[in-house]
């Protein structure tokens, strides 16, 4: 770990302490206004904090101003946190009116842990610590705000009582809070669900079900273009397409190890003959069966299989959201079956593809080495020795690639091996995990995948898992919001909108249409019997990259007047020049 | 129905009678040799007949010669069939030692039908008739042969006793029988399962399961090329791609009507939250939801959606076979949503695509009008009026297309509407149903699919279902056998095999390789350290369309010696000429 990482980590920890402190402050204020409320738990989260309460009278966002005001007043008096360890009896006495805290105390006892109480100002809470030591000095009273109230079950279990969760946003400074709020507002405007509907890219149907997007012709064009681009990059590196079904007998996952580790998330099917099948939640086990079907010589290695196909996971319906979380996930998946001495070259080839692909959209990439969590080894396949070897290899590859700064992702590995994850920031400044390369010694072992080496011996091989987009659905949700629906020319479902002003201009418009169509440019001729303003508004609303209005002037000059969505009026241009310009921009993916 | 059809039907009926008569004859001969055998039922089938027996001693194919011999002797004595109606009591008395016949008699009684006994020679059987009246005169004693013995359950129910089924082949003449046997032998050599394995096009895995082919890189190339070709033809007609998931809530099929008519064949999934989903057995209901998601104006009609995607049906495992019958069926499906006055133009467009596509492979097409069966109306969706209108429309389209001869397919319609089916004959003379166009007024009604017409009114639309290949798996099984594995150049997974004789020839070979590769030609450079004969044999076994052996002569002349799989040695040719020749042949799909 290098110094940058250390500082980053310190900063993150301090922010978490600040947020957790504010959760205490929220509880203190709430209990002043509603003394018979039972407070339960209040952790720090990604963008702030929350606290869950059992209110006797309902609370709403209308109450936020006075709670916030009281929090700021109390903050001035919160000069220092103190804490003490107490006996079970003392703890029981202190929280005797709060059944939630009593339950938490029992949980602590049963885990054999110590009971600690933390106090600041006049407020004491059952807590394990993790606060800002001197809140009044160290917390900017305008660096936080309450954001919303929502229902939440006690201990997250829907069989338990429903509580009220008050969420707060909190950052190190007032400026950071304001920037976050502004970014959230912008993100709301750019919500891919909203833009997807406006532009008619995908739809959901109540009859088909939540989490199962149906792709319209326009949306399918974008999906196919993205996928074709990945395929073009892969083909140059020697990849070949394969094709597999979406189901399998459970025996495949018993051999791979998924059945024992992953069974809950599998969609299962029992046939009328009582055979048990599962829908595939990933493609690797199927792909091993293509590799394993015929013996391989070292001369045939590596084998690089790729396939864009849907996988299915039994997601909880409450977690489904737009394209970000779906039941039917389209993966642009690939698996390289190679010898150990080919790992480096193959991983660099994938890395090249990822670099080229993401650069096209203006994404800069950071690296995370996602390792296993040695304290929870039961979550993984294989032995500690195999994991060490694979993780060392990835680290060496990161170093050879000349990467000096990377994020250490302890516990972020896949079931079967460590990963190099690629992290980016979108145009709103949000951090996103995108592509991933995974190194896997375990599936080749479980499926006994080998090749015959130069000496005629059977040699165990390794697998590299490497999706470029990962899930096309999730990647598209990112792209839509990143571009705010203004897709670059090469991706836009409609690239040019041709608008004849009057009926007499239609013939010339049709000529231009035919010229562009011949070159496979996606052009829309808007010859509806409507006024010009309406047609122009339609093209602008649809964020069509180029608009061409055709009237007398254009016909006289045998030229067209070109307007760019991104650069405004570009003046008159001859039809053949137009064609050249568009084809060049599309080819260059500008 | 025109005269040709009448004659065809008469001929088919007569052949069925002949085959059924031979089933009687088989039973007569068997009962002479093994008098304590219980004979059960013996119908005519596609290529002959069978009879199911309960033997007390096992029978095998070794017994066939003497059974056949006895059948021919008995045939001479079978001058005329007679029959009589008998009472239940008489029938019981006659078959008192045969529990199977007694059960059949009870079935007949419970259906309220008459009991008839048919006699020829000295053999009498419980039968409904359908024989050659004068067997000794009308049946050529060498027009049949026994083919195999297999197990079969009484009444086809696996809970019942297992019987021995003896199969026979039977045709109108000895020549037809011989031609059939020869064709069968050739078909065995060409079996797509055998060729698919030899050429490494697809594999099956015991872990994944029967009926679930996994497509290797080579097989996937062919699948993609076929699919791209269909897409090219469709794109020219204004089709657009869409994309849907493979599952749906059951509500979709309740609305479409599939749930009540088709539920047995659905693969069903219950999620951990207890939602009931089904895997899609067809794509039409999903596609309606894309159409229905936004209101459509007459100006946007027709909408032509296409998608190549896998559908799943709960097939019985005993019926799965190679690619001919699979669980995961890849359909090159399309649905046209159009107004009634657009049906004709749209159907002709599909018909054009089908004609072009099948002509490419040398298939001639015959037409079948597949109507509903008015006596079993419960099998279909909709009303008799809707069906009449749809069938009349298809008939009118067939007439307008100038088709004078077509097959009348009573009872061959789809669940939701009548079809025009396309029938062809492969290189072995086997009849195959290939493409289909279906006209559907019912799904648009069930899903209330409309467009706004010129008057601003909502107008119900119609759907045309039109797969070109149908199932890619089944179509590929046909193609592999039709071409005997020798795919035309444009489809061959490896198009050119480059074989340098010695190591010193490799550099020149690599130059040729690069030239061809640049033009996206699928070339294999066989630079293995093996002798020339072995490499040539490999290229020939793999049925590679072109082979180029490179030695001193070629390097000296800066030319290559081209050998065609289909036309033998083609002599020396310059590299640029080679490239032009190959690209031209690939483009023309020769």
């Amino acid at each position: 770990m290098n110094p940058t990482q250390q500082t980053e980590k310190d900063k993150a920890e301090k922010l978490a302490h600040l947020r957790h402190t504010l959760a205490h402050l929220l509880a203190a204020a709430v209990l002043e206004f509603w003394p018979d409320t039972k407070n339960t738990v209040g952790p720090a989260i990604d963008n702030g904090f929350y606290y869950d309460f059992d209110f006797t009278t309902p609370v709403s966002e209308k109450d936020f101003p006075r709670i916030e005001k009281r929090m700021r007043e109390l903050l001035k008096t919160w000069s220092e946190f103190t804490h003490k360890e107490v006996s079970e009896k003392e703890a029981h006495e202190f929280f005797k009116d709060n059944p939630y805290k009593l339950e938490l105390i029992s949980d602590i006892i049963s885990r054999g842990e110590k009971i600690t109480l933390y106090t600041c100002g006049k407020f004491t809470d059952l807590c394990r610590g993790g606060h800002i030591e001197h809140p009044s000095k160290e917390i900017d009273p305008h660096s936080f705000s309450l954001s919303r109230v929502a229902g939440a079950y006690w201990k997250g279990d829907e069989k338990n009582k429903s509580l009220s969760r008050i969420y707060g946003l909190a950052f190190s400074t007032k400026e950071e809070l304001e920037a976050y709020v502004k970014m959230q507002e912008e993100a709301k405007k750019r919500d891919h669900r909203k833009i997807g509907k406006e532009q008619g890219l995908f739809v959901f149907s109540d009859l088909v079900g939540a989490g199962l997007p149906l792709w319209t012709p326009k949306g399918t064009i974008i999906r196919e273009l993205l996928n074709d681009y990945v395929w073009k990059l892969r083909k140059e590196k020697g990849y070949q397409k394969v094709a597999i079904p979406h189901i399998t007998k459970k025996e495949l996952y018993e051999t791979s190890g998924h059945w024992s580790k992953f069974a809950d998330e599998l969609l299962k099917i029992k046939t009328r003959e009582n055979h048990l099948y599962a829908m595939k939640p990933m493609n690797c086990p199927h792909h091993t069966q293509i590799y394993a079907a015929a013996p391989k010589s070292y001369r045939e290695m590596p084998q690089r299989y790729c396939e864009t196909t849907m996988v299915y996971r039994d997601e909880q319906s409450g977690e489904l959201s737009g394209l970000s979380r779906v039941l039917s996930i389209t993966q642009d998946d690939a698996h390289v079956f190679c010898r150990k001495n080919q790992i480096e070259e193959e991983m660099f080839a994938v890395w090249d593809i990822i670099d080229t692909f993401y650069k096209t959209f203006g994404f800069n990439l950071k690296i995370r080495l996602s390792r296993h969590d040695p304290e929870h080894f039961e979550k993984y396949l294989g032995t500690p020795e195999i994991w060490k070897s694979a993780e060392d290899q990835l680290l060496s590859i990161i170093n050879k690639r000349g990467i000096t700064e990377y994020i250490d992702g302890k516990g972020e590995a896949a079931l079967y091996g460590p990963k190099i994850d690629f992290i980016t920031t979108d145009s709103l400044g949000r951090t996103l995990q995108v592509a991933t390369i995974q190194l896997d010694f375990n599936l080749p072992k479980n499926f006994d995948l080998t090749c015959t080496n130069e000496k005629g011996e059977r040699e165990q091989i390794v697998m590299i898992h490497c999706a470029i987009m990962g899930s096309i659905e999730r990647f598209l949700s990112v792209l839509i919001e990143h571009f705010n629906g203004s897709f670059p020319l090469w991706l836009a479902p409609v690239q040019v909108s041709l608008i004849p002003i009057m009926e007499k201009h239609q013939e010339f418009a049709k000529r231009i249409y035919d010229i562009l169509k011949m070159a496979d440019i996606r052009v829309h001729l808007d010859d509806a019997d409507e006024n010009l303003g309406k047609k122009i508004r339609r093209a602008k609303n649809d964020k069509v990259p180029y608009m061409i209005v055709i009237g007398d002037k254009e016909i006289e000059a045998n030229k067209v007047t070109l307007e760019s969505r991104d650069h405004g009026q570009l003046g008159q241009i001859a039809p053949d020049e137009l064609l050249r310009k568009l084809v060049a921009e599309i080819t260059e993916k500008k």
Side-chain angles (χ1 to χ4, degrees), chain A:
Chain A
M1 202 173 284
N2 60 42
T4 323
Q5 285 157 19
Q6 199 54 48
T7 320
E8 286 271 324
K9 209 181 158 189
D10 287 351
K11 208 182 144 191
E13 196 177 279
K14 196 178 166 196
L15 192 53
H17 288 177
L18 179 142
R19 288 167 172 165
H20 179 50
T21 302
L22 289 169
H24 280 249
L25 195 61
L26 168 61
V30 162
L31 288 173
E32 280 193 15
F33 289 119
W34 295 276
D36 52 354
T37 296
K38 311 295 176 211
N39 57 318
T40 69
V41 292
I45 54 173
D46 254 6
N47 57 3
F49 58 91
Y50 68 75
Y51 210 113
D52 286 348
F53 300 98
D54 185 0
F55 283 99
T56 52
T57 49
V59 71
S60 84
E61 292 176 16
K62 283 186 198 148
D63 300 306
F64 284 1
R66 59 173 174 147
I67 303 176
E68 281 178 7
K69 189 165 168 255
R70 187 63 193 144
M71 284 171 74
R72 294 198 175 98
E73 287 164 7
L74 288 174
L75 177 58
K76 289 180 201 157
T77 70
W78 282 31
S79 52
E80 189 172 6
F81 260 97
T82 58
H83 71 280
K84 62 170 177 181
E85 198 185 315
V86 294
S87 69
E88 186 179 353
K89 204 180 150 203
E90 284 170 295
H92 269 279
E93 178 55 28
F94 191 90
F95 289 108
K96 62 178 187 294
D97 298 329
N98 188 328
Y100 302 98
K101 295 290 184 187
L102 293 175
E103 192 175 328
L104 291 175
I105 292 163
S106 303
D107 295 344
I108 295 169
I109 299 291
S110 71
R111 287 197 304 268
E113 291 170 6
K114 291 173 180 170
I115 306 169
T116 47
L117 300 184
Y118 277 75
T119 302
C120 205
K122 289 174 186 160
F123 178 73
T124 297
D125 206 350
L126 180 72
C127 187
R128 268 181 298 194
H131 306 98
I132 295 288
E133 266 188 70
H134 305 95
S136 60
K137 269 196 224 158
E138 294 178 67
I139 299 181
D140 175 348
H142 296 285
S143 67
F144 68 88
S145 69
L146 298 182
S147 55
R148 64 196 176 96
V149 60
Y153 294 107
W154 167 238
K155 289 183 170 175
D157 186 338
E158 61 183 28
K159 283 179 222 121
N160 289 341
K161 191 163 181 193
S162 178
L163 306 170
S164 298
R165 174 171 296 176
I166 298 179
Y167 284 95
L169 301 172
F171 291 84
S172 303
T173 64
K174 186 185 169 198
E175 291 67 35
E176 281 178 36
L177 172 67
E178 284 171 355
Y180 180 82
V181 170
K182 207 175 151 196
M183 189 265 276
Q184 284 296 99
E185 280 164 11
E186 180 60 26
K188 214 166 164 181
K189 279 189 232 156
R190 295 183 171 214
D191 189 319
H192 72 273
R193 291 168 295 189
K194 183 172 152 279
I195 293 176
K197 197 171 177 177
E198 283 165 6
Q199 297 195 5
L201 302 180
F202 54 88
V203 300
F204 289 95
S205 154
D206 288 342
L207 296 176
V208 174
L212 295 168
L214 304 160
W215 292 89
T216 64
K218 279 189 180 176
T220 308
I221 285 172
I222 302 177
R223 280 169 67 94
E224 295 255 319
L225 287 167
L226 290 171
N227 192 49
D228 289 349
Y229 184 33
V230 170
W231 166 235
K232 181 181 160 282
L233 298 175
R234 279 180 170 158
K235 200 179 170 196
E236 287 165 6
K237 303 283 187 186
Y239 282 71
Q240 298 179 297
K241 289 187 189 177
V242 295
I244 57 171
H246 300 82
I247 60 175
T248 174
K249 276 165 57 182
K250 85 176 205 294
E251 282 78 355
L252 184 70
Y253 295 143
E254 285 174 341
T255 305
S256 70
H258 288 98
W259 195 262
S260 62
K261 305 268 179 185
F262 210 79
D264 275 359
E265 292 182 50
L266 293 174
L267 289 174
K268 295 171 206 79
I269 299 160
K270 197 168 258 180
T271 67
R272 48 178 151 172
E273 289 172 355
N274 265 319
H275 300 301
L276 185 55
Y277 288 85
M279 292 196 79
K280 66 182 165 75
M282 63 266 299
N283 308 303
C284 23
H286 278 85
H287 284 181
T288 65
Q289 297 305 290
I290 298 177
Y291 179 88
K296 299 281 183 295
S297 145
Y298 69 95
R299 302 183 59 88
E300 298 169 85
M301 302 300 289
Q303 295 274 315
R304 307 178 191 92
Y305 298 160
C306 69
E307 179 175 16
T308 297
T309 172
M310 287 190 189
V311 299
Y312 290 82
R313 289 179 194 167
D314 193 352
E315 302 278 2
Q316 269 151 359
S317 52
E319 290 177 3
L320 300 172
S321 165
L323 298 181
S324 313
R325 193 77 169 258
V326 291
L327 283 180
S328 53
I329 306 158
T330 313
Q331 288 185 339
D332 61 330
D333 212 357
H335 297 100
V336 177
F337 299 80
C338 68
R339 301 175 73 185
K340 290 194 184 69
N341 61 11
Q342 295 170 324
I343 292 174
E344 193 175 294
E345 190 177 347
E346 291 304 317
M347 291 200 79
F348 280 171
V350 182
W351 201 320
D352 288 346
I353 294 172
I354 291 172
D355 275 347
T356 308
F357 184 79
Y358 283 94
K359 213 174 144 184
T360 307
F361 305 99
F363 287 122
N364 290 316
L365 298 175
K366 282 186 187 167
I367 304 304
R368 178 174 67 202
L369 173 59
S370 292
R371 302 183 292 119
H372 75 291
D373 178 355
E375 288 144 42
H376 292 95
F377 203 80
E378 73 287 354
K379 282 163 52 182
Y380 308 95
L381 301 177
T383 63
E385 294 69 38
I386 290 181
W387 277 85
K388 183 167 179 354
S389 157
E391 288 175 3
D392 286 351
Q393 195 130 14
L394 287 194
L395 191 53
S396 138
I397 284 167
I398 289 174
N399 289 331
K400 280 210 189 163
R401 188 87 182 178
I403 303 294
T404 52
E405 276 184 31
Y406 65 91
I407 303 157
D408 180 48
K410 185 177 136 185
E412 301 282 347
L415 173 62
Y416 35 75
K419 307 184 287 173
I420 298 178
D421 290 324
F422 294 81
I423 316 277
T424 192
T425 311
D426 74 0
S427 61
L428 289 178
R430 293 175 296 189
T431 299
L432 303 160
Q433 192 206 309
V434 282
T436 179
I437 317 179
Q438 306 174 14
L439 183 57
D440 176 6
F441 289 79
N442 284 309
L443 285 189
K445 189 158 169 277
N446 294 355
F447 284 107
D448 192 23
L449 304 181
T450 61
C451 73
T452 307
N453 66 18
E454 292 87 343
K455 297 176 199 154
E457 305 158 343
R458 262 163 52 104
E459 174 184 301
Q460 196 180 297
I461 58 142
V462 295
M463 279 172 78
I464 298 169
H465 307 243
C466 47
I468 307 300
M469 291 183 270
S471 145
I472 297 192
E473 286 76 17
R474 188 173 160 278
F475 182 69
L476 246 171
S477 77
V478 168
L479 267 199
I480 291 171
E481 298 184 3
H482 179 65
F483 288 125
N484 194 12
S486 291
F487 290 102
L489 182 67
W490 72 277
L491 269 186
V494 177
Q495 298 174 309
V496 178
S497 191
L498 266 176
I499 306 179
I501 298 176
M502 303 207 300
E503 219 195 301
K504 63 174 173 173
H505 306 125
Q506 286 196 4
E507 199 191 313
F508 185 75
K510 183 65 174 50
R511 241 185 65 209
I512 305 295
Y513 176 89
D514 289 340
I515 290 171
L516 299 181
K517 200 77 191 170
M518 280 280 287
D520 238 356
I521 289 168
R522 296 183 294 278
V523 51
H524 173 63
L525 176 59
D526 196 349
D527 56 1
D529 189 16
E530 291 166 346
N531 73 56
L532 183 62
K534 196 169 172 187
K535 293 185 190 181
I536 291 178
R537 268 197 306 284
R538 180 154 51 215
K540 296 213 164 171
N541 280 342
D542 285 353
K543 303 194 171 166
V544 177
Y546 286 108
M547 186 167 67
I548 294 174
V549 176
I550 287 173
D552 289 337
K553 271 197 304 183
E554 283 74 18
I555 297 177
E556 246 166 64
N558 192 24
K559 288 190 169 183
V560 299
T561 308
L562 189 63
E563 182 174 343
S564 154
R565 175 194 65 200
D566 305 325
H567 308 291
Q569 280 293 349
L570 300 179
Q572 284 201 345
I573 180 170
D576 57 342
E577 205 185 325
L578 170 72
L579 184 63
R580 267 199 304 276
K581 177 185 165 62
L582 294 176
V583 169
E585 285 181 23
I586 292 167
T587 309
E588 289 163 25
K589 296 194 164 54
K590 283 215 283 197

